[in-house]
Amino acid sequence: MTRYVVPENELIGVDEALAKVLEGVRPLPAERVGLEDALGRVLVEPVRARENIPPFPNSAMDGYAVRYKDVADASKEHPVRLRVIGSVAAGYAPELSVEPGTAIRIMTGAPIPPGADTVVRFESTDEPERKEGSSLEYVSVLVPPRKGDNVREAGEDVKAGEIVLDAGTLLRPQEIGLLASIGVTSVHVHRKPKVAILSTGDELLPPDSEISLGKIRDANSYSLAALVRKYGGEPIMLGIARDTEEDIRSRLNKGIEAGADLFLTSAGVSKGDYDVVKGVLNAEGEISFWMVRMKPGQPLAFGYVHGVPLLGLPGNPVSSIVSFEQFGRPMLLKMEGRSCIRKPTVQAVTAEPFKNSGRRNYVRVRVERKGDCYVVRKAGPQGSGVLQTLSKANGLMIIPEGVMKVEAGEPVEVQMLDWPEIVQCEI
Ligand code: AMP
Ligand code: MG
C-alpha cells in the first residue's frame, strides 16, 4: 500500500473535493433481486418484453361491443337498436361473435369479441334510462362513436421484443408495475452499498447512557446511519472508538470483515491533540486530509483502508450531516448506479440579511413557497453544534465563496434537504 501525507493545511474548494471523492468510487456490481426488493434500485441491463401488453385487444370501458358500421349514424333522434346476444366480463374469453345488428355487453378489461371493432359506453346508450328489471335483450345506441372507440389494442402499452426499460433506469413504483405486467419477477440491479460507520472520541457514550462531566452522547452514528438508509445504503455499525489508534484500527478491521464498500468516520480529523483518526489512516492506507473551504464542516479526510474508500467527516453533529450531504450522499448514489446525483436546489429570495465569513456557507433555513417564489429565513442559531436548527430546517441556503453579506430580498440558491434527486433530472 502506498502511503503519503498531504500537507494538512491544504485548503480546497467544495467542488474540487467532491470531484476527488467521486473519482474514488464506482457503481457496485450487479445482483439479482425480486421485484418486492427492487424499489429505488438501478438496472444494470435493459429489460425487453417477451409479449405484447395488453396481450389481446380489450375494452377500456363498460359498455357494448359493436360493429362500427351498424352505429355510425346513431343519434338521439334516430337511435340504432341492437340485439344483445351475450355478455363478456374481464377474465373470460367471448363465446360469440358480434354479427350485424347485434351487440355484446362488455366490461372493462374483457377481450373484444370477434366481429366487433368498437365499444359504445353505457352512457351513450339508453341503458342508464332503463327501469330496473327491464329486459336487456335490446339496447339503443344514442350517440355515434368513432371507429375503434374504447378498444385498447394489443401491444398498445408495450410491444413484444421492445426494450421496456433501459440499463441505468431507476426503478420507481411505476417501473415495478411495468415489470410485473410483462412477467418479469426479478431484475439485475446494482448492489446496495454497505457502509460501515465509526464514531470516534473519548467523550462519546451510547445514547442510553447517563452523562457525566466531559461526556456526551454519540449522535453521529445514528444520524449517519439514517442518512445511509435514506440514500439507499445499508449501514454497518462499528460503534464508538476511543481516541486510540489501536481501537480505531481494530474497528475498521471489523468493517473490512463485514464486507464494507465504504467507511464513514466522524471526528478526529481536525487539528486537536487527540485527532488520532488521521494517524491510523495514514498508517493503514492512502489518505488525504483537506481543509475544505466550507462552513459548517471544514476538515474532511478521504482515502482508502485496505482498498475500501473512507470518508472522514468532522465531529460536530451538524458538520457531519452537512458534509455527508455534500460528499457522502453523491458517493453513495454513484455506487448505486444512479446518474442523477445532484442535490436538488431552488432559486429563492431572502426574507432577512445573512452575514458570512467568506467561506462557502450552508445556512440552515426554512424555505416557504409564497405564490410563485420561494422565501428563506434562518431556521435558528447557526453554531455547528446546534443540531436542533438543522431539525427545524428544510433547506441549506448556499452563500457562495467570497460573499460577505447577503441583503434581504436578494436571490439565493437553496439545497432542498428532502427532495429526491430525480426532480432535477431528465428521466
Ligand atoms: P472533533 O472533530 O473530534 O474535534 O469533534 C468536534 C466536536 O464534535 C466536539 O465537540 C465533539 O465532542 C463533537 N463530536 C464528535 N463526535 C461526535 C458524535 N459522534 N456525536 C456528537 N458529537 C460529537
Ligand atoms: Mg475529538
Side-chain angles (χ1 to χ4, degrees), residues 199-201 203-204 216-221 243 266-272 274-275 299 313-317:
S199 279
T200 69
E203 72 276 38
L204 301 179
I216 58 168
R217 297 191 183 96
D218 169 20
N220 297 348
S221 290
D243 284 326
S266 79
V269 287
S270 45
K271 293 190 194 131
Y274 299 96
D275 290 328
L313 298 164
N316 271 310

mmCIF file of all heavy atoms in Angstrom, residues 199-201 203-204 216-221 243 266-272 274-275 299 313-317, ligand 1:
data_model
loop_
_atom_site.group_PDB
_atom_site.id
_atom_site.type_symbol
_atom_site.label_atom_id
_atom_site.label_comp_id
_atom_site.label_asym_id
_atom_site.label_seq_id
_atom_site.Cartn_x
_atom_site.Cartn_y
_atom_site.Cartn_z
ATOM 1 N N SER A 199 -17.939 6.160 14.907
ATOM 2 C CA SER A 199 -17.781 7.419 15.639
ATOM 3 C C SER A 199 -16.517 7.313 16.460
ATOM 4 O O SER A 199 -16.221 6.247 17.014
ATOM 5 C CB SER A 199 -18.962 7.645 16.580
ATOM 6 O OG SER A 199 -20.053 8.165 15.878
ATOM 7 N N THR A 200 -15.766 8.407 16.549
ATOM 8 C CA THR A 200 -14.549 8.360 17.347
ATOM 9 C C THR A 200 -14.571 9.482 18.375
ATOM 10 O O THR A 200 -15.097 10.557 18.116
ATOM 11 C CB THR A 200 -13.289 8.524 16.480
ATOM 12 O OG1 THR A 200 -13.238 9.872 15.977
ATOM 13 C CG2 THR A 200 -13.273 7.552 15.314
ATOM 14 N N GLY A 201 -14.032 9.219 19.551
ATOM 15 C CA GLY A 201 -13.913 10.257 20.579
ATOM 16 C C GLY A 201 -14.058 9.685 21.976
ATOM 17 O O GLY A 201 -14.993 8.924 22.239
ATOM 18 N N GLU A 203 -14.959 11.203 24.487
ATOM 19 C CA GLU A 203 -16.091 11.820 25.184
ATOM 20 C C GLU A 203 -17.413 11.122 24.900
ATOM 21 O O GLU A 203 -18.413 11.401 25.534
ATOM 22 C CB GLU A 203 -16.194 13.304 24.803
ATOM 23 C CG GLU A 203 -16.684 13.614 23.390
ATOM 24 C CD GLU A 203 -15.591 13.570 22.314
ATOM 25 O OE1 GLU A 203 -14.703 12.684 22.396
ATOM 26 O OE2 GLU A 203 -15.642 14.398 21.393
ATOM 27 N N LEU A 204 -17.424 10.195 23.943
ATOM 28 C CA LEU A 204 -18.713 9.684 23.456
ATOM 29 C C LEU A 204 -19.226 8.487 24.248
ATOM 30 O O LEU A 204 -18.474 7.587 24.604
ATOM 31 C CB LEU A 204 -18.593 9.281 21.990
ATOM 32 C CG LEU A 204 -18.179 10.389 21.026
ATOM 33 C CD1 LEU A 204 -18.071 9.840 19.608
ATOM 34 C CD2 LEU A 204 -19.160 11.551 21.076
ATOM 35 N N ILE A 216 -20.515 13.160 26.329
ATOM 36 C CA ILE A 216 -21.737 13.473 25.569
ATOM 37 C C ILE A 216 -22.199 12.187 24.884
ATOM 38 O O ILE A 216 -21.462 11.211 24.804
ATOM 39 C CB ILE A 216 -21.499 14.559 24.484
ATOM 40 C CG1 ILE A 216 -20.402 14.119 23.502
ATOM 41 C CG2 ILE A 216 -21.150 15.910 25.106
ATOM 42 C CD1 ILE A 216 -20.313 14.983 22.258
ATOM 43 N N ARG A 217 -23.436 12.216 24.417
ATOM 44 C CA ARG A 217 -23.947 11.024 23.720
ATOM 45 C C ARG A 217 -23.581 11.087 22.239
ATOM 46 O O ARG A 217 -23.534 12.164 21.658
ATOM 47 C CB ARG A 217 -25.456 10.909 23.899
ATOM 48 C CG ARG A 217 -25.853 10.725 25.346
ATOM 49 C CD ARG A 217 -27.320 10.355 25.492
ATOM 50 N NE ARG A 217 -27.642 10.259 26.916
ATOM 51 C CZ ARG A 217 -28.179 11.235 27.621
ATOM 52 N NH1 ARG A 217 -28.487 12.378 27.035
ATOM 53 N NH2 ARG A 217 -28.403 11.079 28.899
ATOM 54 N N ASP A 218 -23.353 9.933 21.693
ATOM 55 C CA ASP A 218 -22.980 9.808 20.270
ATOM 56 C C ASP A 218 -24.210 10.061 19.392
ATOM 57 O O ASP A 218 -25.127 9.241 19.354
ATOM 58 C CB ASP A 218 -22.438 8.378 20.045
ATOM 59 C CG ASP A 218 -22.268 8.045 18.575
ATOM 60 O OD1 ASP A 218 -22.183 8.977 17.754
ATOM 61 O OD2 ASP A 218 -22.189 6.829 18.265
ATOM 62 N N ALA A 219 -24.225 11.194 18.736
ATOM 63 C CA ALA A 219 -25.332 11.498 17.811
ATOM 64 C C ALA A 219 -24.991 11.023 16.395
ATOM 65 O O ALA A 219 -25.860 10.549 15.653
ATOM 66 C CB ALA A 219 -25.587 13.007 17.793
ATOM 67 N N ASN A 220 -23.722 11.108 16.037
ATOM 68 C CA ASN A 220 -23.365 10.936 14.620
ATOM 69 C C ASN A 220 -23.582 9.523 14.081
ATOM 70 O O ASN A 220 -23.992 9.360 12.931
ATOM 71 C CB ASN A 220 -21.896 11.324 14.393
ATOM 72 C CG ASN A 220 -21.653 12.783 14.709
ATOM 73 O OD1 ASN A 220 -22.612 13.546 14.885
ATOM 74 N ND2 ASN A 220 -20.398 13.188 14.794
ATOM 75 N N SER A 221 -23.312 8.505 14.908
ATOM 76 C CA SER A 221 -23.539 7.139 14.402
ATOM 77 C C SER A 221 -24.972 7.003 13.922
ATOM 78 O O SER A 221 -25.240 6.338 12.919
ATOM 79 C CB SER A 221 -23.341 6.105 15.510
ATOM 80 O OG SER A 221 -21.992 6.022 15.852
ATOM 81 N N ASP A 243 -10.195 7.382 21.455
ATOM 82 C CA ASP A 243 -9.166 8.110 20.704
ATOM 83 C C ASP A 243 -7.814 7.408 20.797
ATOM 84 O O ASP A 243 -6.814 7.996 21.207
ATOM 85 C CB ASP A 243 -9.062 9.551 21.228
ATOM 86 C CG ASP A 243 -10.214 10.413 20.732
ATOM 87 O OD1 ASP A 243 -10.677 10.180 19.591
ATOM 88 O OD2 ASP A 243 -10.666 11.304 21.472
ATOM 89 N N SER A 266 -16.529 9.688 11.926
ATOM 90 C CA SER A 266 -16.769 11.064 12.320
ATOM 91 C C SER A 266 -15.806 11.440 13.422
ATOM 92 O O SER A 266 -15.461 10.616 14.275
ATOM 93 C CB SER A 266 -18.225 11.281 12.748
ATOM 94 O OG SER A 266 -18.450 10.816 14.040
ATOM 95 N N ALA A 267 -15.360 12.678 13.359
ATOM 96 C CA ALA A 267 -14.444 13.319 14.308
ATOM 97 C C ALA A 267 -13.010 12.813 14.145
ATOM 98 O O ALA A 267 -12.737 11.883 13.377
ATOM 99 C CB ALA A 267 -14.917 13.146 15.748
ATOM 100 N N GLY A 268 -12.116 13.480 14.872
ATOM 101 C CA GLY A 268 -10.720 13.058 14.858
ATOM 102 C C GLY A 268 -9.943 13.464 13.624
ATOM 103 O O GLY A 268 -8.835 12.991 13.410
ATOM 104 N N VAL A 269 -10.523 14.323 12.794
ATOM 105 C CA VAL A 269 -9.770 14.732 11.605
ATOM 106 C C VAL A 269 -9.376 16.213 11.645
ATOM 107 O O VAL A 269 -8.862 16.752 10.682
ATOM 108 C CB VAL A 269 -10.538 14.433 10.284
ATOM 109 C CG1 VAL A 269 -10.537 12.951 10.008
ATOM 110 C CG2 VAL A 269 -11.948 14.983 10.306
ATOM 111 N N SER A 270 -9.654 16.866 12.787
ATOM 112 C CA SER A 270 -9.264 18.284 12.828
ATOM 113 C C SER A 270 -7.877 18.423 13.455
ATOM 114 O O SER A 270 -7.076 17.489 13.439
ATOM 115 C CB SER A 270 -10.342 19.111 13.529
ATOM 116 O OG SER A 270 -10.778 18.472 14.689
ATOM 117 N N LYS A 271 -7.604 19.578 14.055
ATOM 118 C CA LYS A 271 -6.216 19.828 14.463
ATOM 119 C C LYS A 271 -5.947 19.578 15.944
ATOM 120 O O LYS A 271 -4.879 19.891 16.444
ATOM 121 C CB LYS A 271 -5.856 21.278 14.126
ATOM 122 C CG LYS A 271 -5.817 21.543 12.634
ATOM 123 C CD LYS A 271 -5.223 22.911 12.365
ATOM 124 C CE LYS A 271 -5.462 23.353 10.941
ATOM 125 N NZ LYS A 271 -5.993 24.699 10.859
ATOM 126 N N GLY A 272 -6.936 19.032 16.667
ATOM 127 C CA GLY A 272 -6.767 18.846 18.115
ATOM 128 C C GLY A 272 -5.688 17.810 18.458
ATOM 129 O O GLY A 272 -5.246 17.038 17.597
ATOM 130 N N TYR A 274 -5.922 15.103 20.108
ATOM 131 C CA TYR A 274 -6.305 13.679 20.115
ATOM 132 C C TYR A 274 -6.936 13.233 18.804
ATOM 133 O O TYR A 274 -7.696 12.283 18.762
ATOM 134 C CB TYR A 274 -7.241 13.405 21.294
ATOM 135 C CG TYR A 274 -6.557 13.706 22.602
ATOM 136 C CD1 TYR A 274 -6.724 14.939 23.225
ATOM 137 C CD2 TYR A 274 -5.694 12.779 23.169
ATOM 138 C CE1 TYR A 274 -6.058 15.233 24.400
ATOM 139 C CE2 TYR A 274 -5.022 13.063 24.340
ATOM 140 C CZ TYR A 274 -5.199 14.291 24.953
ATOM 141 O OH TYR A 274 -4.529 14.575 26.105
ATOM 142 N N ASP A 275 -6.670 13.983 17.755
ATOM 143 C CA ASP A 275 -7.284 13.638 16.481
ATOM 144 C C ASP A 275 -6.504 12.511 15.818
ATOM 145 O O ASP A 275 -5.777 12.694 14.843
ATOM 146 C CB ASP A 275 -7.411 14.888 15.608
ATOM 147 C CG ASP A 275 -8.463 15.821 16.192
ATOM 148 O OD1 ASP A 275 -9.425 15.295 16.800
ATOM 149 O OD2 ASP A 275 -8.319 17.035 16.093
ATOM 150 N N PRO A 299 -12.914 20.385 8.185
ATOM 151 C CA PRO A 299 -11.978 19.275 7.975
ATOM 152 C C PRO A 299 -12.669 18.098 7.299
ATOM 153 O O PRO A 299 -13.822 17.784 7.586
ATOM 154 C CB PRO A 299 -11.539 18.891 9.392
ATOM 155 C CG PRO A 299 -12.610 19.392 10.289
ATOM 156 C CD PRO A 299 -13.330 20.496 9.595
ATOM 157 N N LEU A 313 -15.479 12.349 8.231
ATOM 158 C CA LEU A 313 -16.307 13.543 8.398
ATOM 159 C C LEU A 313 -15.936 14.261 9.686
ATOM 160 O O LEU A 313 -15.422 13.636 10.623
ATOM 161 C CB LEU A 313 -17.788 13.123 8.451
ATOM 162 C CG LEU A 313 -18.299 12.435 7.181
ATOM 163 C CD1 LEU A 313 -19.608 11.705 7.453
ATOM 164 C CD2 LEU A 313 -18.470 13.458 6.064
ATOM 165 N N PRO A 314 -16.230 15.537 9.778
ATOM 166 C CA PRO A 314 -15.948 16.256 11.020
ATOM 167 C C PRO A 314 -16.857 15.779 12.153
ATOM 168 O O PRO A 314 -17.877 15.125 11.903
ATOM 169 C CB PRO A 314 -16.228 17.715 10.669
ATOM 170 C CG PRO A 314 -16.916 17.727 9.359
ATOM 171 C CD PRO A 314 -16.806 16.380 8.729
ATOM 172 N N GLY A 315 -16.494 16.099 13.391
ATOM 173 C CA GLY A 315 -17.204 15.556 14.549
ATOM 174 C C GLY A 315 -18.469 16.290 14.938
ATOM 175 O O GLY A 315 -19.414 15.673 15.450
ATOM 176 N N ASN A 316 -18.505 17.585 14.709
ATOM 177 C CA ASN A 316 -19.710 18.313 15.106
ATOM 178 C C ASN A 316 -20.923 17.722 14.409
ATOM 179 O O ASN A 316 -20.891 17.503 13.191
ATOM 180 C CB ASN A 316 -19.580 19.785 14.703
ATOM 181 C CG ASN A 316 -18.922 20.579 15.803
ATOM 182 O OD1 ASN A 316 -19.340 20.488 16.955
ATOM 183 N ND2 ASN A 316 -17.904 21.327 15.446
ATOM 184 N N PRO A 317 -21.989 17.471 15.172
ATOM 185 C CA PRO A 317 -23.143 16.790 14.584
ATOM 186 C C PRO A 317 -23.714 17.476 13.342
ATOM 187 O O PRO A 317 -24.111 16.790 12.400
ATOM 188 C CB PRO A 317 -24.167 16.797 15.722
ATOM 189 C CG PRO A 317 -23.338 16.820 16.964
ATOM 190 C CD PRO A 317 -22.132 17.645 16.630
HETATM 191 P P1 AMP B 1 -13.577 16.697 16.761
HETATM 192 O O1 AMP B 1 -13.786 16.636 15.288
HETATM 193 O O2 AMP B 1 -13.083 15.427 17.336
HETATM 194 O O3 AMP B 1 -12.728 17.877 17.121
HETATM 195 O O4 AMP B 1 -15.018 16.963 17.371
HETATM 196 C C1 AMP B 1 -15.700 18.177 17.174
HETATM 197 C C2 AMP B 1 -16.890 18.268 18.126
HETATM 198 O O5 AMP B 1 -17.851 17.305 17.787
HETATM 199 C C3 AMP B 1 -16.551 18.030 19.584
HETATM 200 O O6 AMP B 1 -17.320 18.915 20.356
HETATM 201 C C4 AMP B 1 -17.004 16.592 19.798
HETATM 202 O O7 AMP B 1 -17.337 16.326 21.130
HETATM 203 C C5 AMP B 1 -18.218 16.525 18.917
HETATM 204 N N1 AMP B 1 -18.492 15.173 18.478
HETATM 205 C C6 AMP B 1 -17.589 14.345 17.941
HETATM 206 N N2 AMP B 1 -18.160 13.154 17.641
HETATM 207 C C7 AMP B 1 -19.450 13.249 17.975
HETATM 208 C C8 AMP B 1 -20.550 12.355 17.907
HETATM 209 N N3 AMP B 1 -20.399 11.127 17.408
HETATM 210 N N4 AMP B 1 -21.749 12.769 18.346
HETATM 211 C C9 AMP B 1 -21.874 14.021 18.858
HETATM 212 N N5 AMP B 1 -20.899 14.910 18.921
HETATM 213 C C10 AMP B 1 -19.675 14.546 18.518
#
